[in-house]
Amino acid sequence: MIKLENVTKRFGDLVAVDSLDLHVPAGELFAILGPNAAGKTTTIKLITGLIQPTQGRVLLAGRDVQQEPIEARRRLAYVPDFPFLYDKLTPWEFFRFIGELFRMDRKRIEAAAGPWIERFSLEPYLHETIESLSHGTKQRIAIAAGLMHDPQVFVLDEPMVGLDPHHAKALKDTLRELAARGTAIFISTHQLSVAEDVADRIGIMHRGRLAALGSPEELRRQAGVSGALEQVFLRITEEEQTAAGYARPGGGSERG
């Protein structure tokens, strides 16, 4: 469902994503982890068509994001870490707006939005202006709106930011249900516990490349540790940093 083929993105001399090959099949919940500036957000922007690759191509449900952008985006839902929701609209007006973008009629919009409004406890806010709502409520609105057209691919950047424990659990349950129905899900997060809790496979990105890829247990074997995912993450990113020419903490200087 999500396929990146030899994807590279350069910004001048900076290689933000370097020759990335990745396949997230239908029904898989994939999480990408990495330190700051590892290339995670750039990868998401490439998947969603917000930026063009310098080389390589991205496919969503078999559609080339650059060659067939409209058809690719019909199959996609994307929730960024700070979603833009048109503050002067109410949540219900926003749902109607999003539904009409996907050529849904009024009855279909109401039927599609209803279950997600209930799931994410949005009923009390439907006729308030979005600008008056909390970040967590806006996040839930963005998630509900993204799911209305039943996407084949669901991409989320830091999806738990701003969510209280109740709605974080509701989102985790939703992601599992979507994956069971065949949706390909790609999430980026700094919360290692979230990745370990929900993901079928995890990729650890460092300096624009996938440093490790596999299930949580496979990553533990690759890293040679048996503890928490945090230990795996630190071991792999430290090894990648050392291999790239950086000294370990407390010893020597960094590469110039």
Side-chain angles (χ1 to χ4, degrees), residues 65-87:
V65 171
Q66 296 304 317
Q67 299 299 319
E68 304 173 272
I70 301 300
E71 290 304 315
R73 287 176 179 139
R74 287 186 194 281
R75 293 154 174 79
L76 168 71
Y78 169 47
V79 179
D81 51 351
F82 290 97
F84 179 75
L85 302 182
Y86 299 99
D87 281 353

Side-chain angles (χ1 to χ4, degrees), residues 211-256:
L213 178 67
S215 68
E217 286 306 315
E218 288 170 339
L219 291 180
R220 287 186 177 91
R221 288 196 292 271
Q222 291 177 43
V225 299
S226 58
L229 188 59
E230 180 183 32
Q231 293 177 294
V232 175
F233 178 86
L234 293 173
R235 173 70 63 84
I236 288 172
T237 54
E238 182 184 62
E239 288 176 351
E240 286 290 311
Q241 184 165 299
T242 302
Y246 287 74
R248 293 176 181 271
S253 60
E254 294 186 339
R255 183 179 60 185

Side-chain angles (χ1 to χ4, degrees), residues 22-39:
L22 178 66
H23 179 214
V24 181
E28 180 171 88
L29 206 165
F30 181 85
I32 193 84
L33 306 175
N36 292 334

